[in-house]
Amino acid sequence: MKYDDLRDFLVLLEANKELIKINEIVNWDEEIGAIAQESIALDSAAFICNRIKEHENTLCRRITMNTLGNWKRIAIAMGLPEKTSPREMVLEWRKRHRNLIKPTLVKSGPCKENIILRKDVDLSQFPIPKLHAMDGGRYALTWHIVVTKDPDTGWVNVGTYRGMTLDNQNIGMLLSPFQNWGMHAEKYKKRNLKMPISVAIGVDPVTLMTSTTPYPVGVNEYEVAGAIRKEPLKLVKCETNDLPVPANSEIVFEGEIDLDPSTYRHEGPFGEYPGCYSSFTASPKPVFNVQCISYRNDPIFTSGLIGCGPPLKAADSDLFGAITLSAVTWDQIENNGVPGITDVWFDEDMWGSNVFVSIDKAYYGHPRQVAFAIWGAPSSFVLGKYVVVVDSDIDVHNLKKIWAAIANRTNPSKDILVVPRTGGGTLDPSTHPDIKVKTKRVGRWDRVLIDATWDDTWEERSEWGGLTHPPICLASDKELAMIRMKWKKYGF
């Protein structure tokens, strides 16, 4: 990799004309979020704000956003040529994450340059933004990693889960029991113990991308990040617990979460990844009590505009999510023994909801196996509301071609399967708020498979040249080779 940490990555972006330095004073209250939104709308660069209202003299004075906001910046983050296509990125991610690289534990690192303990902890020293007008508060945690440990096995999970600042020492957390850290929390709760937790802000982009990806139970995301970076991550132990965090992090929050519901405080609402609010009602959530903060000299805070929804272009979390979700879902299908997968793609404008899969169709019911392999994964609570399966001659990265396959290769009464009343869609705006309450915030999805492959129950027909479906009316390879040799003679 050409960079070791976030700072190196920002230097790399600037060298590639992909970073804007904003020296105008900006307001943490909505203005930073609006800048991020307009940057996305205009396909503009990542940016770093160097002067933030009310934070000119705090210990943290800078914030960066939109660091992965186009395919070029994601390619740079992965150490690939800047014109690498999204499909090539998916293939490369799959290739690399098969060869896990264990992290290296070091004695100290830049994140230990400054340490604040307990009564001196003060979250107001950080330029935490209020991103949207109707958010419940300033969201400290949108672009970060959360580290927890299984009390039984010692398995370390690294994930990304939102958190709203409640006061100078506490953050309200959205904790789902179906996410990996939620499984850890349930074990601590049964023991009547508080759960140790550490949060690293300002990590390198590959570690952030890995953290947001739904890897299965038992996978250490640090090892995945090492695999993608092709080198071990350097970690340090925290000051108040034994959780490991990246040594080059800009900022580290350490503390614990009390899992007694009587200690919960109201968190939300927040403008989530579908680009809207799933509810305007704040609800009781577990509280992350921050007991230690360590940070680099002149640290850089990070934040993310998680989703812009249908009105605008995809945000950076949508873009890189399309890469990582496609990679892990492709693995999930094949690990279930389903053969013939030629491509998998989650379109960047529909984070997680719609997945498109192309196959070399081998037998009756093959597309249904694909769909149920996706729906059977623990990650399906946020993935695969719609599954569209097409033949391998259809480019799943081109929505127009997918629509053409649906138009020309489906009979709706038999090729569209609806599986009603499954769990999923906690943050989906099409799921009624009352349903979320009744299902204990699991949500309820009717899932859909659209089988847009050729019907394999038809018999061969002579007028189709012995095929079981109408032949394609395109020039032969031989004819194309001939006219290509003469192309310039035609005057093109």
Side-chain angles (χ1 to χ4, degrees):
M1 284 290 184
K2 293 182 179 180
Y3 64 91
D4 289 328
D5 56 20
L6 174 65
R7 296 187 183 200
D8 287 350
F9 183 63
L10 294 178
V11 170
L12 201 55
L13 291 185
E14 186 175 18
N16 283 272
K17 299 181 179 179
E18 288 288 335
L19 179 71
I20 297 292
K21 292 181 177 178
I22 301 176
N23 294 315
E24 180 79 10
I25 294 178
V26 298
N27 196 330
W28 58 264
D29 190 1
E30 298 183 44
E31 185 178 359
I32 290 175
I35 293 170
Q37 178 180 310
E38 190 69 358
S39 173
I40 292 166
L42 298 176
D43 283 329
S44 190
F47 64 90
I48 182 167
C49 298
N50 290 320
R51 300 173 67 199
I52 301 167
K53 183 180 179 182
E54 299 174 5
H55 290 277
E56 295 92 335
N57 298 306
T58 52
L59 64 84
C60 182
R61 296 169 291 182
R62 301 185 289 169
I63 187 170
T64 187
M65 293 187 70
N66 290 9
T67 51
L68 295 168
N70 60 25
W71 300 124
K72 177 182 176 181
R73 298 204 283 271
I74 295 172
I76 292 171
M78 291 180 64
L80 296 171
E82 64 182 50
K83 293 186 179 180
T84 303
S85 71
R87 185 177 193 275
E88 290 171 319
M89 292 186 210
V90 173
L91 295 175
E92 186 64 21
W93 193 281
R94 293 191 72 215
K95 177 183 175 181
R96 293 186 195 178
H97 78 177
R98 291 169 180 155
N99 302 300
L100 300 178
I101 297 178
K102 291 185 179 296
T104 299
L105 192 64
V106 297
K107 290 184 178 180
S108 189
C111 72
K112 301 285 191 180
E113 290 172 347
N114 304 275
I115 298 173
I116 300 173
L117 289 167
R118 295 180 172 83
K119 65 181 179 62
D120 294 322
V121 165
D122 184 1
L123 295 175
S124 71
Q125 289 291 310
F126 297 87
I128 298 167
K130 182 180 180 183
L131 294 170
H132 316 98
M134 292 179 283
D135 285 356
R138 299 170 72 167
Y139 269 80
L141 304 182
T142 58
W143 206 257
H144 61 287
I145 66 172
V146 173
V147 185
T148 57
K149 182 184 289 187
D150 188 308
D152 292 333
T153 67
W155 158 53
V156 172
N157 178 69
V158 182
T160 299
Y161 318 103
R162 83 183 193 207
M164 186 184 85
T165 307
L166 300 173
D167 54 45
N168 288 347
Q169 295 185 331
N170 294 288
I171 298 171
M173 303 295 296
L174 178 63
L175 194 159
S176 166
F178 301 101
Q179 294 172 317
N180 288 346
W181 82 314
M183 297 176 190
H184 290 179
E186 287 299 310
K187 293 185 178 184
Y188 284 99
K189 186 176 181 179
K190 288 180 180 178
R191 291 168 166 77
N192 293 317
L193 295 174
K194 296 178 181 179
M195 181 169 69
I197 170 178
S198 291
V199 169
I201 297 168
V203 298
D204 76 89
V206 165
T207 300
L208 189 283
M209 292 167 70
T210 304
S211 172
T212 64
T213 305
Y215 279 96
V217 170
V219 172
N220 185 323
E221 286 82 3
Y222 285 142
E223 297 180 10
V224 177
I228 303 303
R229 288 182 54 85
K230 298 183 180 180
E231 59 187 359
L233 252 61
K234 293 179 180 179
L235 306 179
V236 291
K237 278 194 175 182
C238 288
E239 297 294 310
T240 59
N241 59 46
D242 65 351
L243 296 171
V245 293
N248 290 331
S249 304
E250 292 290 322
I251 303 159
V252 176
F253 295 163
E254 304 174 21
E256 59 189 15
I257 290 180
D258 192 333
L259 298 162
D260 179 356
S262 68
T263 67
Y264 290 4
R265 294 170 63 180
H266 280 80
E267 179 270 347
F270 180 65
E272 266 290 353
Y273 71 86
C276 57
Y277 293 89
S278 60
S279 171
F280 278 136
T281 305
S283 58
K285 304 284 194 340
V287 176
F288 170 27
N289 176 239
V290 182
Q291 299 171 350
C292 176
I293 299 176
S294 62
Y295 60 96
R296 299 179 69 158
N297 293 330
D298 196 15
I300 304 170
F301 201 80
T302 55
S303 183
L305 201 65
I306 302 305
C308 297
L312 288 182
K313 297 174 183 177
D316 40 6
S317 59
D318 301 315
L319 290 163
F320 74 71
I323 303 296
T324 61
L325 293 178
S326 299
V328 297
T329 300
W330 196 332
D331 284 357
Q332 169 71 21
I333 299 168
E334 291 190 345
N335 290 341
N336 275 275
V338 182
I341 309 303
T342 58
D343 210 346
V344 176
W345 183 241
F346 283 85
D347 187 80
E348 66 270 17
D349 283 303
M350 298 167 269
W351 193 95
S353 295
N354 298 0
V355 54
F356 310 107
V357 182
S358 63
I359 63 172
D360 285 324
K361 193 172 180 181
Y363 46 82
Y364 180 78
H366 193 172
R368 293 195 176 205
Q369 282 194 327
V370 170
F372 282 99
I374 295 169
W375 293 337
S379 58
S380 68
F381 281 101
V382 293
L383 304 180
K385 181 180 181 181
Y386 290 90
V387 177
V388 182
V389 182
V390 296
D391 294 296
S392 59
D393 63 331
I394 302 298
D395 180 4
V396 295
H397 298 265
N398 187 332
L399 290 179
K400 291 181 180 179
K401 298 304 180 185
I402 292 170
W403 276 114
I406 292 171
N408 295 326
R409 301 185 186 184
T410 64
N411 182 337
S413 64
K414 71 175 186 61
D415 292 325
I416 298 179
L417 170 69
V418 179
V419 180
R421 303 176 72 86
T422 74
T426 301
L427 298 174
D428 187 333
S430 71
T431 302
H432 194 279
D434 291 347
I435 294 296
K436 295 174 185 178
V437 173
K438 291 178 182 177
T439 59
K440 297 181 179 180
R441 300 199 67 80
V442 173
R444 187 174 71 198
W445 265 352
D446 291 350
R447 298 179 187 266
V448 178
L449 163 66
I450 301 177
D451 177 1
T453 61
W454 285 116
D455 191 327
D456 57 2
T457 64
W458 291 354
E459 295 180 354
E460 297 176 359
R461 298 181 67 88
S462 58
E463 68 264 37
W464 292 344
L467 297 175
T468 59
H469 58 77
I472 292 172
C473 52
L474 297 176
S476 68
D477 291 343
K478 181 179 178 181
E479 191 70 19
L480 286 172
M482 184 272 292
I483 64 101
R484 285 167 182 163
M485 291 179 64
K486 299 169 61 178
W487 197 247
K488 290 184 179 179
K489 294 182 180 180
Y490 299 142
F492 288 103

